[in-house]
Amino acid sequence: MLKLYNTLGRTVQEFHPRNPGKVDLYACGPTVYNFAHIGNLRSYLFEDFLRRSFEYLGYEVTHVMNVTDVGHLTDDADEGEDKMLKSAREREMSVWEIAQFYADAFFADTDRLNILKPQVVCRATDHIDDMIKLIQRIEENGFTYSAGGNLYFDISHFPSYGELALLDRSDLKSGARVAIDPNKRNPQDFVLWFTQSKFGRQAMVWDSPWGRGYPGWHIECSAMSTRYLGEQFDIHCGGVDHIPVHHTNEIAQTEAATGKKWVNYWLHGEFLVMDDAKMSKSAGGFITLDSLIDAGFAAMDYRFFNLGAHYRTQLQFTFESLTAARSARLRLIDRVAELMKAAGTDTSQALQEESGTQARVTDIQQRAGSASSYLDAFRNHLEDDLNAPRCIAEVWGLVKDDRVKPSDALQALSDMDRVLGLRLISEAWSKLEASREDMLTPDLLDLIRRREDARRERDFKTADEIRGILKDRGVAIEDGPNGTRWKKL
Ligand code: AMP
Ligand code: ZN
């Protein structure tokens, strides 16, 4: 039975989906006025691990993620400058080009990290109508007031305001903290629609029943999640920083509109920290995936590094610990390559073809052998609030256990890797291929490459001629679905 820590209630709870065998998952996505930093990427790695775990456990997942492509939707402060405009000016692009540029950069990062793309990726600017309709419902239900040209959400009409964040209601009522915005009746009230810009200049504005302007920060997630997943769904996630304001306000406004409990499970990933400080996208000076790659690391090193910590504990980033993660990952790949050699080429090839999504846990469990006990333990750790470090410990246990038949170990590993996403089998295979390439002389390698070029150009006559030459020189060629392979005769 899968158990997850629900921020709503602060307890580990058995997971019961609304519809058996199906999970609806909404994750707050990136703001695209700058590159994602490695802290942001930790949150997306956590959500990917969550999604893969559900799929591994046999659920059908619908994963929805928004892209905040409007800079001024990113916070409630009444000061500073529109982040999208600032970025556009600095890069000499339009705000629309900026959004596209950083969204592309974000998905390039997530691809390299082997993060599965959500089934639905939705942009804020494509859903302004949905936001307006939702705000109208909130207004009809009496949860709003207008002041200073803006439409506000009135938290005093929503008795459970702050439940997610365990906010102290007496503190909220007293208004002890000074509100920055003098239009607010309570310090925690928030804007649903702005007509009076917070900033000097505004690039993106839309018509609405409240005048020409733009939506408040939180409404996009409520509007897009309910549009794609319905008015009630299973899981909403994001980083822990979203608990006190963004997610608290999302709950208030959505439930004010629908009159129903919205989301059953709230999951939050802890922060990646550096020198005890949190990384901030708006403050600049942060580390990106590209900068790790420039420093000689692979994207998979960062993925592996993240698997070393439970998602609910802070993770301290240092280059020393990333270096240690890289060495461990490379040792693991070496060990997988050794298992492949021990299992024989045919098995390895078959495994490579089925790596990723196709290997099935049941294939292993039908066999007597201790690989299945590692798989059982792996699954138990997953079901215990996604304990990634313990899952990794099972991987090490498995690869080091001489009693397990290499082919069984490989099949179990390729199964576990459906959750870990480390591309263990294909990376080990590439390593073996690279060492096999060393066994060929450069002119033979050149012939193999020329034959591949000929095949790509559908020049099968030349390809056959080169195959004949290679055969005469002691190398056999086989063409398969995953490309061409060679072996020494
Ligand atoms: P943003 O693009 O700034 O809205 O952030 C995208 C995601 O990254 C959100 O879910 C944040 O909660 C999360 N996040 C921001 N900073 C960090 C950090 N240092 N560590 C982990 N997650 C973070
Ligand atoms: Zn959100």
Side-chain angles (χ1 to χ4, degrees):
M1 170 55 78
L2 173 62
K3 296 198 191 82
L4 296 169
Y5 182 85
N6 192 348
T7 307
L8 191 61
R10 299 286 198 285
T11 46
V12 177
Q13 301 170 359
E14 284 184 2
F15 177 72
H16 296 286
R18 285 169 34 83
N19 298 303
K22 297 198 169 154
V23 182
D24 303 320
L25 177 69
Y26 182 84
C28 292
T31 48
V32 285
Y33 59 84
N34 204 341
F35 294 106
H37 58 60
I38 54 173
N40 301 134
L41 294 172
R42 181 182 187 203
S43 281
Y44 301 108
L45 283 165
F46 149 61
E47 285 146 11
D48 186 58
F49 192 76
L50 174 67
R51 172 198 168 158
R52 285 172 179 269
S53 299
F54 274 121
E55 287 175 349
Y56 184 82
L57 297 171
Y59 291 86
E60 190 187 315
V61 183
T62 308
H63 180 189
V64 178
M65 187 185 77
N66 66 310
V67 173
T68 303
D69 55 351
V70 197
H72 49 261
L73 288 187
T74 56
D75 66 41
D76 272 343
D78 288 331
E79 56 202 24
E81 191 178 4
D82 181 328
K83 290 164 184 152
M84 199 74 88
L85 270 178
K86 181 165 178 261
S87 186
R89 198 188 56 236
E90 283 165 4
R91 291 206 158 242
E92 297 184 347
M93 291 182 186
S94 73
V95 282
W96 303 95
E97 285 166 343
I98 281 290
Q100 190 61 49
F101 175 83
Y102 286 113
D104 290 347
F106 173 78
F107 288 111
D109 281 355
T110 54
D111 272 357
R112 284 183 292 182
L113 287 166
N114 201 16
I115 291 175
L116 302 173
K117 201 161 182 180
Q119 285 90 348
V120 179
V121 174
C122 40
R123 288 169 184 266
T125 50
D126 292 335
H127 294 81
I128 302 293
D129 278 352
D130 292 316
M131 298 184 214
I132 291 175
K133 286 195 190 106
L134 195 65
I135 298 172
Q136 281 176 313
R137 289 174 70 186
I138 300 168
E139 188 177 38
E140 280 159 21
N141 291 347
F143 288 87
T144 62
Y145 60 91
S146 298
N150 299 329
L151 188 74
Y152 289 84
F153 185 91
D154 185 347
I155 66 153
S156 66
H157 287 261
F158 191 77
S160 60
Y161 185 84
E163 197 183 344
L164 180 78
L166 305 178
L167 298 182
D168 183 345
R169 289 207 48 96
S170 56
D171 186 33
L172 294 183
K173 280 202 197 96
S174 73
R177 271 160 284 166
V178 181
I180 306 163
D181 178 350
N183 296 318
K184 288 186 184 179
R185 293 181 188 166
N186 310 289
Q188 279 76 18
D189 288 351
F190 54 93
V191 179
L192 294 166
W193 190 268
F194 287 94
T195 64
Q196 204 191 14
S197 177
K198 295 184 285 185
F199 310 107
R201 210 155 57 82
Q202 210 57 62
M204 295 178 178
V205 282
W206 295 266
D207 288 326
S208 84
W210 312 279
R212 197 163 169 74
Y214 55 92
W217 171 29
H218 317 289
I219 198 76
E220 65 165 298
C221 287
S222 296
M224 290 191 267
S225 61
T226 52
R227 154 124 199 194
Y228 293 104
L229 297 174
E231 290 188 355
Q232 293 177 297
F233 58 89
D234 299 308
I235 299 185
H236 193 312
C237 33
V240 285
D241 56 327
H242 284 335
I243 300 170
V245 181
H246 182 48
H247 288 170
T248 290
N249 291 351
E250 278 190 46
I251 293 173
Q253 65 196 5
T254 313
E255 297 189 356
T258 65
K260 292 186 276 209
K261 180 173 178 184
W262 182 33
V263 171
N264 289 338
Y265 301 87
W266 287 85
L267 269 62
H268 291 98
E270 249 300 348
F271 262 40
L272 180 83
V273 291
M274 279 181 74
D275 301 330
D276 295 329
K278 86 167 193 176
M279 291 201 196
S280 157
K281 189 178 268 192
S282 47
F286 52 78
I287 302 176
T288 60
L289 183 63
D290 268 330
S291 56
L292 296 186
I293 289 169
D294 289 346
F297 294 95
M300 280 297 128
D301 295 332
Y302 187 60
R303 188 172 178 109
F304 191 79
F305 170 72
N306 275 267
L307 289 168
H310 191 278
Y311 76 91
R312 284 201 288 123
T313 56
Q314 280 198 350
L315 177 57
Q316 180 85 30
F317 178 83
T318 61
F319 277 97
E320 289 74 34
S321 45
L322 183 64
T323 305
R326 174 177 58 187
S327 316
R329 188 181 74 88
L330 295 178
R331 270 202 319 279
L332 181 59
I333 301 290
D334 281 348
R335 184 66 197 125
V336 177
E338 280 167 23
L339 287 169
M340 281 177 159
K341 272 196 261 177
T345 317
D346 290 346
T347 322
S348 335
Q349 191 165 331
L351 269 165
Q352 191 203 16
E353 280 158 16
E354 70 172 18
S355 72
T357 52
Q358 282 145 38
R360 287 284 170 268
V361 66
T362 45
D363 299 344
I364 301 278
Q365 281 168 343
Q366 279 160 8
R367 302 178 197 187
S370 47
S372 63
S373 64
Y374 288 102
L375 275 170
D376 288 345
F378 181 90
R379 187 189 175 101
N380 288 340
H381 296 316
L382 265 194
E383 291 189 328
D384 181 15
D385 194 26
L386 313 177
N387 198 327
R390 281 176 176 254
C391 288
I392 293 288
E394 296 304 330
V395 170
W396 282 116
L398 173 66
V399 298
K400 287 181 179 166
D401 189 339
D402 296 338
R403 294 163 308 172
V404 181
K405 238 172 83 188
S407 56
D408 280 358
L410 284 170
Q411 202 162 354
L413 280 170
S414 104
D415 193 76
M416 292 170 172
D417 207 30
R418 288 164 53 214
V419 182
L420 305 174
L422 291 168
R423 300 192 174 121
L424 289 176
I425 305 292
S426 58
E427 292 235 353
W429 183 262
S430 307
K431 198 178 158 85
L432 282 180
E433 289 281 90
S435 63
R436 274 152 51 86
E437 282 202 358
D438 292 345
M439 291 153 49
L440 284 187
T441 55
D443 58 324
L444 283 172
L445 273 176
D446 188 48
L447 277 171
I448 292 172
R449 282 189 200 119
R450 274 172 45 204
R451 183 175 172 277
E452 277 168 17
D453 290 344
R455 268 170 53 81
R456 241 190 318 277
E457 284 155 25
R458 309 190 68 74
D459 178 1
F460 298 113
K461 188 165 168 286
T462 308
D464 282 347
E465 277 167 19
I466 299 177
R467 181 203 288 267
I469 300 170
L470 283 165
K471 192 171 174 211
D472 292 344
R473 296 187 56 183
V475 177
I477 292 286
E478 278 169 29
D479 300 314
N482 283 344
T484 300
R485 307 209 174 284
W486 60 266
K487 65 175 185 242
K488 286 208 163 173
L489 288 170

